[in-house]
Amino acid sequence: MRSRCDFRRGPTSGKLAKMRKGLAKRRVAMAVQPGAPIFELSVPCEVFGTNRSDIHDPWYEFEVCPTESATEVAAGFVANQNGSMDNLARADTVIILGCENIHAKPPAHLIDAIRSAYRRRARIVGICSGAFVLAHAGLLDHRRATTHWMHIDEFASRFPTVTLDPSVLYVEDAGVFTSAGTAAAIDLCLELVRQDLGAAAANEVARRMVMPPHRDGGQAQYLRWPMPPHPDHDLAEAMQWVQTNLDRPITVEDLTQRAHLSRRTLIRRFHDALGVTPQQWLLRQRLLLAQGLLETTPIPVQQVAERSGMGTAANLRHHFSQHVGVSPLAYRRTFGTPAAGHL
DNA sequence: GAAACACCCCGCCATC
DNA sequence: AAGATGGCGGGGTGTT
């Protein structure tokens, strides 16, 4: 079973350096076809299109690019374009939204624009049924991808050469990202910010978007994702307890006691809610905390390991390399803030 | 990087 | 009868 939130696919060190230092201002362009769903359209606008230069300066340059001159999207709204399709050719990240009719062939000029962007190594992102457009463009052949669960069968039968993974929220393969339905667009967009600007920046965006589960008064400093959308009370309480005790050794047995469940049932609940095992989730929380500490503090890697519950620096390095793709120090060099003694 | 040990996961089956 | 839960054990994974 693959992780629903496929955090194993972290960027390589080369990618990190390039992402951080290669461009003064990142350009994101979103292609909008007629009938594009409002929610999915709004997510990239909210994440990339809102000026958040107080989090990271410069913030993204974001453009909406309707595929037609006056593109009417869902619910009767008309995309008030600030960019034309030409802008796709200049973007570092090209986002393709879902289309009204997944059975229709996408317009040729859109396919051409996507292929062209891919050839010049732009990051290509298909949100929800946008995966159909990417598949039409041939970008998903023999690659892992996902789409809305309602379209899985249709997608699989029409694009048999794509390795479809219906269990993940989003997936990346060779610079091509696809996300599952609707709300998964948020997860994917935040992941893109995380790759570009680091975990602290992505978590701050998430916090401002009031992402669950931290709706209570004591907002956590770092977003501990993934969390289940609707965990039952005992499970949520156990997970909350983990969040505030990451510096200490925690076993699955501790979780079973806090959740008042057997080990077997706990694993089942995690699997149903998140698609990951308790241990995988715990490790993810520790790594996210470690990432935040590396970004925002100057403390030695050994202390980062201790505070994040990773135990030893060697263990932290091991998992960092495996899941984030770079060493802790390389990560700090790339994403460290002035508070961490960098930049 | 390898090895040893501890811990974890999941298919299977029984029980509630 | 169907679904949820829990125990077992072999194989897998994490930690040192």
Side-chain angles (χ1 to χ4, degrees):
Chain A
M1 179 70 192
R2 284 194 173 106
S3 157
R4 189 167 295 180
C5 185
D6 194 6
F7 69 93
R8 287 168 190 268
R9 290 179 171 272
T12 62
S13 59
K15 277 186 191 169
L16 280 181
K18 184 178 162 191
M19 288 183 299
R20 179 69 172 188
K21 295 168 181 161
L23 296 158
K25 191 163 191 172
R26 293 168 183 77
R27 287 181 170 169
V28 179
M30 177 170 70
V32 180
Q33 298 183 81
I38 291 296
F39 184 88
E40 287 144 37
L41 186 152
S42 69
V43 170
C45 295
E46 176 67 22
V47 173
F48 303 108
T50 302
N51 180 12
R52 303 184 189 278
S53 53
D54 59 316
I55 297 176
H56 187 279
D57 194 14
W59 193 245
Y60 293 86
E61 187 177 302
F62 179 72
E63 288 165 322
V64 177
C65 307
T67 56
E68 297 172 12
S69 56
T71 297
E72 187 171 330
V73 297
F77 289 91
V78 175
N80 183 18
Q81 74 255 48
N82 61 349
S84 69
M85 286 291 285
D86 295 341
N87 290 329
L88 290 183
R90 293 196 296 272
D92 311 303
T93 300
V94 172
I95 299 176
I96 312 298
L97 290 183
C99 38
E100 185 175 30
N101 178 10
I102 59 171
H103 304 289
K105 193 172 179 186
H109 67 292
L110 176 60
I111 296 287
D112 290 344
I114 294 169
R115 286 177 178 157
S116 167
Y118 180 74
R119 274 196 297 274
R120 61 181 173 76
R121 298 174 183 272
R123 188 165 55 182
I124 311 293
V125 181
I127 288 177
C128 190
S129 56
F132 281 77
V133 182
L134 301 191
H136 271 292
L139 265 57
L140 298 177
D141 287 346
H142 310 292
R143 295 207 172 117
R144 286 183 66 209
T146 193
T147 188
H148 195 292
W149 61 269
M150 286 178 69
H151 305 321
I152 288 292
D153 291 342
E154 168 79 12
F155 190 97
S157 65
R158 285 176 63 188
F159 305 106
T161 55
V162 179
T163 308
L164 196 58
D165 190 341
S167 68
V168 298
L169 277 178
Y170 58 84
V171 63
E172 181 213 348
D173 200 334
V176 181
F177 295 72
T178 47
S179 73
T182 315
I186 301 176
D187 303 292
L188 176 51
C189 288
L190 289 175
E191 172 62 21
L192 299 177
V193 174
R194 189 172 291 116
Q195 290 196 4
D196 289 340
L197 308 177
N203 294 345
E204 180 57 22
V205 176
R207 199 171 70 88
R208 293 182 188 187
M209 291 173 72
V210 198
M211 287 284 289
H214 296 287
R215 292 179 186 273
D216 53 13
Q219 284 279 345
Q221 185 180 1
Y222 306 108
L223 178 71
R224 276 72 188 237
W225 191 258
M227 289 283 275
H230 304 292
D232 57 67
H233 180 70
D234 284 343
L235 189 60
E237 208 168 84
M239 295 170 85
Q240 209 68 47
W241 174 79
V242 169
Q243 307 286 7
T244 52
N245 290 277
L246 283 169
D247 57 327
R248 57 164 88 174
I250 297 170
T251 63
V252 173
E253 182 62 27
D254 295 330
L255 276 169
T256 64
Q257 288 177 9
R258 301 230 162 226
H260 308 108
L261 295 168
S262 72
R263 175 175 292 251
R264 189 71 192 86
T265 300
L266 181 85
I267 291 169
R268 278 200 193 100
R269 294 281 184 84
F270 261 83
H271 186 273
D272 291 346
L274 295 165
V276 297
T277 67
Q279 186 170 244
Q280 285 174 330
W281 177 81
L282 175 60
L283 178 60
R284 172 61 164 159
Q285 309 318 302
R286 293 197 193 286
L287 281 172
L288 281 173
L289 176 56
Q291 281 179 287
L293 290 170
L294 287 165
E295 288 174 27
T296 58
T297 76
I299 62 177
V301 171
Q302 176 61 46
Q303 280 186 38
V304 171
E306 288 166 6
R307 287 205 206 170
S308 60
M310 296 300 293
T312 63
N315 198 33
L316 178 64
R317 286 190 198 99
H318 170 76
H319 287 291
F320 228 83
S321 302
Q322 194 172 355
H323 298 299
V324 184
V326 295
S327 71
L329 282 180
Y331 185 85
R332 174 174 271 163
R333 276 196 297 275
T334 306
F335 292 122
T337 63
H342 288 271
L343 296 185

